[in-house]
Amino acid sequence: MEALIPVINKLQDVFNTVGADIIQLPQIAVVGTQSSGKSSVLESLVGKDLLPRGTGIVTRRPLILQLVHVDPEDRRKTCEENGICFFLFASNNLRNPECCVIVSQGISDEPIQLKIFSPHVVNLTLVDLPGITKVPVGDQPKDIELQIRELILKYISNPNCIILAVTAANTDMATSEALKVAREVDPDGRRTLAVVTKLDLMDAGTDAMDVLMGRVIPVKLGLIGVVNRSQLDINNKKNVADSIRDEHAFLQKKYPSLAARNGTKYLARTLNRLLMHHIRDCLPELKTRINVLAAQYQSLLSSYGEPVEDMSSTLLQLITKFATEYCNTIEGTAKYIETTELCGGARICYIFHETFGRTLESVDSLGGLTTIDVLTAIRNATGPRPALFVPEVSFELLVKRQVKRLEEPSLRCVELVHEEMQRIIQHCSNYSTQELLRFPKLHDAIVEVVTSLLRKRLPVTNEMVHNLVAIELAYINTKHPDFADACGLMNNNIEPFASTATRVPVARKLSAREQRDCEVIERLIKSYFLIVRKNIQDSVPKAVMHFLVNHVKDSLQSELVGQLYKPALLEDLLTESEDMAQRRNEAADMLKALQKASQVIAEIRETHLW
Ligand code: GDP
Ligand code: MG
């Protein structure tokens, strides 16, 4: 079977590339009655006598012989890696420098596994099965026939198994148990090859002409007669080569017309052909698989980007792309749409209208102000003379104090938007501008520039928001149209607030006048406060947009270009991450290997005429 070695070797390269054994060579299993010569047939195929023959060792256990092709150099290494126990054959013949590993010495029905590592074999599995038996002998169980039958069927029913049905020439071919059992699992005879052994032991005056011509039983893939070594030959240590030479002489003499289509060599060639056919049948699928993989690696490779050729244009492109993505994320037109949470512009909107809006609404117009505070303020405003009217000064003082409470949530709003703007940087470099990950230094530099731009805008925006509140405090506009209604209260008698009494735990009982004055002031504060709160709720988001968001959006590109687009920085900024360079190289290598593999397959298809 050495003819297969170059083909399989070439394919092995392909296997190594695509990382799987796509072509599984069929197993070859021998079936037949006891002592029909099964082990001998396998042995002459392998070309070495290493199978137990005649003795009882394989009577009840299958023997799995795994041939493993290795390069001459790493034979020993392979052995040591695999071996529970290994031995090297030193001399010629059986003692070729192969090594053999007994993988398992199973108990009862478990197979015995032998691995042979050699440069002279192809990766192939041969199975020596126990002989079909009818009558239990010795300590064999009563149902031995059934047990063995099931064991044999287990192996040969595998559709990827070539069955060598062995029948001795000196028994009746018409009732061959081997062909019978083979037919059960392979009725069409697609994978059964009949082997007729012991041609040399036929009775004088008889020959196997009819059998070998297929006249007794036709076998689709053929009937091949062989002469193996007799027990005497084995005892005399006759080697395989001599045996094959003698077999050839015997066939020439006894069956001159059939000699070319019989014998161990022809059997080996036939098996070769079957295996080659199998390989041929696998090639199209292998080719498809390789093409698919090649396409995958091609797109992987292009996703890693080309190696940088023109540094300055690459830098400019990346900066522009980042800036565009940043703005798009704010505008809501980004390519990558986040679905798990709000981000970018949508989140800023949420901050303005939900977070900030609701916080402002929860600021109570009279929060932190007790009736006593109000009363004290009124009394302080009137000075030494008792007043006829509620003093306006006390209203102004108190309402300013309340308005001031709007500043803190307003500044908090700026902070939240600032945080979100910071978060967008990460978002952009993670999802939108994947290419940036190739250049960690550029990535860091961009993050730094944007961060510092944001940081620079923060105090400006805070200042503006602070001023918005300060502006409100600067002038209490009692002529505000929405405030006019409330002013009427100053002059007219009013219904007492039901709520006032409950709002205050007052230490002493207020006089009717005091109570009325407090109520008037509280109502005015409330009315005016609502006007201011509405203003702030409206103007703070506008200020944040103008001074922070839009400003950053508009100046981002030029800021990045100004700080990073410098000839002196190019080299450093566009240093690729080692990781990425390595991944690109790996993908490129893989692609090359796949293209080579594809070529190898084409070669095999062309050069090995099937
Ligand atoms: P198995 O039980 O089917 O595995 O049979 P073996 O391979 O162990 O062979 C049984 C016996 O028959 C052994 O002593 C072999 O030497 C002998 N034998 C096998 N094939 C031939 C053959 O073609 N000619 C002769 N003369 N003896 C053979
Ligand atoms: Mg045997």
Side-chain angles (χ1 to χ4, degrees):
M1 259 166 267
E2 298 196 11
L4 279 176
I5 293 179
V7 178
I8 298 280
N9 273 354
K10 276 188 178 173
L11 283 174
Q12 193 64 48
D13 291 342
V14 176
F15 292 158
N16 290 342
T17 318
V18 298
D21 35 3
I22 289 161
I23 294 184
Q24 272 237 303
L25 281 186
Q27 284 194 348
I28 297 176
V30 282
V31 292
T33 49
Q34 274 179 18
S35 290
S36 54
K38 301 180 297 299
S39 304
S40 303
V41 166
L42 273 191
E43 209 166 54
S44 45
L45 281 175
V46 180
K48 282 154 202 77
D49 32 2
L50 31 78
L51 299 188
R53 271 153 317 161
T55 60
I57 183 160
V58 220
T59 352
R60 287 182 55 194
R61 284 196 214 164
L63 183 136
I64 297 180
L65 189 65
Q66 247 176 300
L67 308 183
V68 185
H69 180 86
V70 287
D71 284 339
E73 308 88 60
D74 43 57
R75 209 162 51 224
R76 194 182 288 258
K77 209 177 107 236
T78 319
C79 250
E80 281 163 9
E81 277 166 8
N82 279 272
I84 293 168
C85 127
F86 71 94
F87 38 92
L88 288 161
F89 300 104
S91 80
N92 219 6
N93 188 10
L94 171 158
R95 290 154 235 313
N96 262 335
E98 270 99 9
C99 41
C100 171
V101 180
I102 296 177
V103 176
S104 74
Q105 275 273 23
I107 19 137
S108 68
D109 283 348
E110 274 184 34
I112 297 172
Q113 270 191 54
L114 275 172
K115 267 192 182 182
I116 297 188
F117 299 93
S118 164
H120 309 296
V121 296
V122 293
N123 293 330
L124 193 64
T125 304
L126 303 164
V127 186
D128 193 8
L129 288 168
I132 302 166
T133 174
K134 289 279 166 209
V135 198
V137 289
D139 58 353
Q140 285 180 340
K142 281 220 177 66
D143 63 342
I144 185 77
E145 179 186 354
L146 203 73
Q147 277 190 23
I148 289 182
R149 233 184 84 84
E150 272 169 11
L151 189 66
I152 291 172
L153 287 174
K154 191 175 115 189
Y155 280 87
I156 65 173
S157 54
N158 175 357
N160 199 28
C161 175
I162 293 177
I163 306 166
L164 294 186
V166 177
T167 316
N170 55 1
T171 59
D172 185 3
M173 190 67 186
T175 59
S176 163
E177 291 289 335
L179 284 172
K180 230 163 81 186
V181 73
R183 205 158 280 172
E184 277 180 43
V185 292
D186 177 32
D188 301 334
R190 283 168 204 269
R191 51 187 180 94
T192 305
L193 193 61
V195 182
V196 184
T197 57
K198 306 193 185 182
L199 290 178
D200 58 322
L201 292 186
M202 295 191 71
D203 281 345
T206 60
D207 67 32
M209 251 345 227
D210 281 352
V211 169
L212 294 179
M213 296 289 283
R215 286 186 208 127
V216 179
I217 288 190
V219 177
K220 206 183 256 172
L221 295 183
L223 283 131
I224 297 171
V226 295
V227 179
N228 295 316
R229 285 168 295 176
S230 66
Q231 192 57 48
L232 185 67
D233 293 335
I234 293 164
N235 295 348
N236 290 339
K237 303 203 163 35
K238 182 176 178 179
N239 66 34
V240 179
D242 288 346
S243 158
I244 286 180
R245 204 193 50 229
D246 290 351
E247 181 194 40
H248 183 68
F250 174 87
L251 289 172
Q252 285 293 347
K253 184 159 160 266
K254 211 62 198 333
Y255 303 94
S257 61
L258 299 179
R261 285 196 286 115
N262 286 281
T264 303
K265 279 214 155 143
Y266 184 74
L267 174 62
R269 271 211 302 278
T270 308
L271 274 176
N272 252 337
R273 197 161 43 86
L274 291 180
L275 296 177
M276 287 287 228
H277 282 195
H278 177 84
I279 293 173
R280 179 193 56 188
D281 293 345
C282 294
L283 285 183
E285 197 206 313
L286 185 59
K287 192 161 169 70
T288 311
R289 167 96 182 251
I290 285 173
N291 289 344
V292 168
L293 272 176
Q296 282 171 0
Y297 272 90
Q298 184 67 65
S299 69
L300 188 67
L301 195 59
S302 32
S303 82
Y304 292 157
E306 295 293 317
V308 180
E309 274 171 16
D310 182 348
M311 286 205 166
S312 59
S313 85
T314 304
L315 184 75
L316 206 54
Q317 264 174 32
L318 286 169
I319 287 178
T320 308
K321 194 154 182 200
F322 181 89
T324 311
E325 280 302 325
Y326 193 91
C327 295
N328 286 347
T329 309
I330 293 173
E331 292 298 327
T333 50
K335 266 186 270 152
Y336 183 89
I337 298 281
E338 176 76 68
T339 52
T340 50
E341 56 172 355
L342 285 182
C343 80
R347 190 159 162 75
I348 292 175
C349 173
Y350 182 89
I351 292 169
F352 285 159
H353 300 290
E354 299 293 322
T355 317
F356 177 60
R358 255 189 279 123
T359 310
L360 278 199
E361 271 154 32
S362 72
V363 179
D364 181 15
S365 53
L366 296 172
L369 204 62
T370 64
T371 307
I372 290 297
D373 294 338
V374 177
L375 199 62
T376 311
I378 294 172
R379 290 167 76 185
N380 280 339
T382 47
R385 284 163 282 108
L388 285 175
F389 305 104
V390 184
E392 216 172 306
V393 184
S394 62
F395 158 71
E396 219 173 290
L397 274 174
L398 290 170
V399 87
K400 278 183 182 174
R401 181 171 142 173
Q402 294 311 89
V403 166
K404 192 114 187 69
R405 293 166 62 235
L406 294 174
E407 182 171 346
E408 201 254 358
S410 303
L411 291 173
R412 173 83 189 128
C413 172
V414 178
E415 198 180 316
L416 286 176
V417 174
H418 181 265
E419 275 170 18
E420 178 56 24
M421 299 281 281
Q422 189 72 38
R423 231 160 56 100
I424 297 175
I425 304 177
Q426 271 319 311
H427 178 86
C428 282
S429 50
N430 285 349
Y431 301 106
S432 315
T433 330
Q434 279 264 336
E435 294 106 307
L436 256 193
L437 302 180
R438 268 174 76 188
F439 309 106
K441 286 192 176 172
L442 177 61
H443 172 264
D444 292 354
I446 288 181
V447 172
E448 179 58 38
V449 171
V450 187
T451 306
S452 73
L453 177 62
L454 284 171
R455 210 182 299 129
K456 231 166 44 194
R457 297 308 300 170
L458 190 59
V460 185
T461 316
N462 277 338
E463 176 70 16
M464 183 61 203
V465 167
H466 170 81
N467 278 335
L468 285 176
V469 179
I471 287 166
E472 292 294 346
L473 294 173
Y475 181 65
I476 303 299
N477 179 16
T478 47
K479 280 269 182 258
H480 192 285
D482 298 344
F483 192 58
D485 297 346
C487 280
L489 290 170
M490 298 284 279
N491 309 319
N492 302 316
N493 282 339
I494 48 156
E495 301 286 311
F497 283 176
S499 61
T500 315
T502 54
R503 217 173 57 77
V504 189
V506 183
R508 67 176 174 86
K509 192 143 174 43
L510 298 185
S511 71
R513 168 74 197 269
E514 279 172 340
Q515 193 164 335
R516 204 204 60 172
D517 286 355
C518 278
E519 280 164 11
V520 167
I521 290 289
E522 282 174 1
R523 235 184 232 210
L524 289 176
I525 291 174
K526 194 167 182 181
S527 170
Y528 194 82
F529 181 85
L530 289 183
I531 294 169
V532 176
R533 194 171 73 180
K534 212 167 162 188
N535 287 348
I536 293 291
Q537 200 166 353
D538 181 55
S539 59
V540 165
K542 287 175 178 170
V544 173
M545 282 309 285
H546 179 71
F547 286 89
L548 183 65
V549 181
N550 290 346
H551 192 282
V552 168
K553 229 173 69 181
D554 294 343
S555 58
L556 183 61
Q557 162 93 1
S558 57
E559 188 78 16
L560 283 169
V561 171
Q563 298 218 21
L564 303 178
Y565 190 61
K566 292 175 185 164
L569 294 179
L570 275 182
E571 189 93 24
D572 189 47
L573 288 178
L574 290 180
T575 315
E576 264 192 294
S577 71
E578 251 173 54
D579 190 36
M580 180 55 74
Q582 192 187 333
R583 268 192 281 170
R584 183 192 302 105
N585 285 343
E586 278 170 11
D589 287 351
M590 185 65 176
L591 196 60
K592 233 184 265 164
L594 285 167
Q595 280 153 357
K596 173 105 195 301
S598 179
Q599 202 182 319
V600 165
I601 289 181
E603 267 170 34
I604 294 176
R605 282 175 127 173
E606 279 164 25
T607 53
H608 297 271
L609 297 171
W610 310 90

